[in-house]
Amino acid sequence: FLFVPTVEVKIEVVIPEKERSKEEMSPNGKASPLIYKVNGTARHYHLEEHPIASNPYHNPKDVVEASVCHVKDLENGQMREVDLGCGKALLIKEGGEFHAVGHKCPHYGAPLVKGVLSKGRVRCPWHGACFNISTGDIEDFPGLDSLPRFQVKIEKEKVYIRASKQALQTQRRTKMMAKCISLSNYNLSSTNVLIIGAGAAGLLCAETLRQEGFSDRIVMCTMDRHLPYDRPKLSKSMDSHPEQIALRPKEFFRTYDIEVLTEMQVAAVDIKNKTAVFKDGFKMEYNKLLIATGNTPKGLSCKGKEVENVFNIRTPEDANRVVKLATSKNVVIVGASFLGMEVAAYLAERAHSVSLVELEEVPFKKFFGERVGRAVMKMFESNRVKFYMQTEVSELREQEGKLKEVVLKSGKVLRADVCVVGIGAVPATGFLKQSGINIDSKGFIVVNKMMQTNIPGVFAAGDTVTFPLALRNNKKVNVPHWQMAHMHGRVAALNMLAHGVEISTVPYLWTAMFGKSIRYAGHGEGFDDVVIQGDLDELKFVAFYTKSDEVVAVASMNYDPIVSKVAEVLAAGRTIRKRDVE
């Protein structure tokens, strides 16, 4: 390690150029009303900035200055976390210029200094979110917020940073958003944009529309009883309450006039009359439609499947109930899927016993390959999880109406007080069968690179679609993961506004079990070999998935930020050859 003397660097929080110009449009500090055309009629709207990103210099007491380094202390392409006394910033030097932004990823708080810097953006080392180093704007997901951006000044070879304490402490910035012109003028049974589904794809679509200045009515509807929440947390942190995992607070939806109808199920879509028909008979007309209904978990089809205490994990209530029933009791999990394995890991310390039943011989074999699957299986076995592989459930037995035993086709009988089913899911598209919207043989909605269906004005996003993946020569794929749903929602919104944006993101996902994470980027479907570096027994490895001579995906454990590095290379359109990683 080189000892580098600390010299002064000043950072100052500023509003990005694009947003500052809007601030300067009117003398009162608010943007002048701009005009946006909807249905051929001109509408006025005002842009509102979340307080975090507003001009921090109205109150001089909120401003802090700190010194951090000499201009020569950072080489091009280097990043450094710097302390400003009441919070930290990330200082970056690229192309001879200094930039300063928030140092934590707003998604789960990962230290961005450990991430990957490439061509004007920094990628999070944990889950792959990308941020523009000049503006702080989020450019790839997961997560909803951008980074605060701080101003950097150079005087006498020293770098100075000036920042608002509030921005340093929050480490996040909500992008400028429009508000609705006047909800009182609306007919309740019609909306400009209707979003069916309130997961990541639906929320990103609504937020992106508002960020782009769309000021007409937006209605989201969901079968869930909650506002949009962080669904991947349900199997990783099963006792989370809905408020703890909410993606946005209630006030956010009120502030930006995004209406959410909860416990509302769409039964049919009439594309000719541009109307959604709800299960209770209510009808709503729309101008633009996004279908982001996600998946429906598969249930067991064996004898006794109606017994009490058998669960699919679909809602916070499901997850909470399973934890309550499983504590100090016997749990059987059917299916070594991501959900099944995460639930097993979470319950291993809490339950009396955890048994996992799976048709394959190794967990994750199709996804991570046999060797990685075996290493993961070993980790579970050392944490008291018992596997019953290459078999399935033939019967669920009850006592007084509640689950008592799970009988396997191998003849083995397992004691069980609670059973969690994680055997996959099917797209929730049954209500579209007669609609005329193009659906493939597996039930997925077929979209193009702009997330458009075959019907003008109808878009689809998230787990429920197949779309052309740029990474695999535009092969139509289904990628049912959190990061991809975010990007789908954003791209759909931009194309509702006729921006002509095509999706080109690299899939990125992760799973967390026993305090360890496997990160994964790319699309490994159909891989024919796995090149492994590191030590599988020590659970410190990187696995490159290859097809012919090309690396199509990468997975790692305790090897950050290798997956983010590979994702950046793939995002740049570069090919990684098998010989490069062997």
Side-chain angles (χ1 to χ4, degrees), residues 203-213 489-490 493-494 497:
L203 181 58
L204 252 295
C205 179
E207 287 204 20
T208 302
L209 288 168
R210 289 284 183 249
Q211 285 163 6
E212 293 296 315
R490 178 161 176 77
L494 292 172
L497 302 175

Side-chain angles (χ1 to χ4, degrees), residues 330-334 353-357 393 396 403 405-406 408 414-421:
N330 302 300
V331 181
V332 172
I333 293 159
V334 186
S353 71
V354 176
S355 305
L356 208 145
V357 180
V393 176
L396 299 174
L403 181 68
E405 291 172 336
V406 174
L408 307 183
L414 306 175
R415 288 178 62 193
D417 301 291
V418 60
C419 175
V420 176
V421 182

Side-chain angles (χ1 to χ4, degrees), residues 319-381:
N320 296 173
R321 184 122 177 84
V322 166
V323 173
K324 203 173 168 185
L325 289 169
T327 304
S328 305
K329 295 285 172 59
N330 302 300
V331 181
V332 172
I333 293 159
V334 186
S337 57
F338 282 103
L339 181 135
M341 294 289 275
E342 287 170 3
V343 168
Y346 190 81
L347 296 178
E349 289 175 9
R350 294 161 177 82
H352 178 259
S353 71
V354 176
S355 305
L356 208 145
V357 180
E358 166 61 38
L359 261 173
E360 292 279 345
E361 56 184 315
V362 178
F364 298 134
K365 187 179 174 182
K366 283 182 183 156
F367 202 87
F368 290 136
E370 187 166 343
R371 288 171 67 197
V372 172
R374 283 203 189 281
V376 172
M377 189 170 171
K378 215 164 124 186
M379 173 176 79
F380 272 71
E381 286 172 332

Side-chain angles (χ1 to χ4, degrees), residues 57-69:
Y57 303 125
H58 297 313
N59 180 5
K61 286 180 185 170
D62 183 46
V63 178
V64 64
E65 266 189 27
S67 54
V68 283
C69 70

Side-chain angles (χ1 to χ4, degrees), residues 366-548:
K366 283 182 183 156
F367 202 87
F368 290 136
E370 187 166 343
R371 288 171 67 197
V372 172
R374 283 203 189 281
V376 172
M377 189 170 171
K378 215 164 124 186
M379 173 176 79
F380 272 71
E381 286 172 332
S382 68
N383 281 281
R384 296 176 44 250
V385 175
K386 191 138 177 52
F387 287 90
Y388 296 88
M389 306 303 276
Q390 294 179 285
T391 185
E392 53 191 315
V393 176
S394 67
E395 187 187 348
L396 299 174
R397 288 183 187 157
E398 48 103 11
Q399 190 175 41
E400 295 169 8
K402 289 182 178 169
L403 181 68
K404 191 70 188 159
E405 291 172 336
V406 174
V407 184
L408 307 183
K409 285 201 173 157
S410 61
K412 183 82 182 163
V413 179
L414 306 175
R415 288 178 62 193
D417 301 291
V418 60
C419 175
V420 176
V421 182
I423 54 172
V426 292
T429 55
F431 71 104
L432 299 171
K433 282 208 170 104
Q434 309 303 318
S435 67
I437 294 166
N438 189 7
I439 291 173
D440 73 10
S441 58
K442 291 180 178 172
F444 294 111
I445 302 169
V446 181
V447 295
N448 64 14
K449 283 187 164 189
M450 294 192 250
M451 309 316 294
Q452 294 164 326
T453 67
N454 59 314
I455 307 297
V458 178
F459 298 77
D463 296 5
T464 199
V465 308
T466 61
F467 68 101
L469 186 65
L471 191 69
R472 297 295 295 270
N473 298 320
N474 296 321
K475 178 185 170 188
K476 284 272 170 94
V477 299
N478 170 252
V479 181
H481 297 293
W482 195 236
Q483 168 255 3
M484 194 55 82
H486 284 69
M487 188 56 92
H488 282 181
R490 178 161 176 77
V491 171
L494 292 172
N495 291 309
M496 284 180 179
L497 302 175
H499 285 217
V501 173
E502 294 189 347
I503 191 158
S504 64
T505 190
V506 174
Y508 200 115
L509 65 114
W510 68 96
T511 180
M513 304 161 296
F514 300 112
K516 293 182 168 29
S517 283
I518 300 180
R519 319 203 192 285
Y520 179 100
H523 189 72
E525 196 178 281
F527 67 87
D528 52 34
D529 198 10
V530 188
V531 178
I532 292 172
Q533 309 281 1
D535 191 331
L536 284 172
D537 292 330
E538 293 289 316
L539 297 173
K540 184 178 168 63
F541 65 87
V542 53
F544 296 95
Y545 299 86
T546 62
K547 195 167 185 188
S548 303

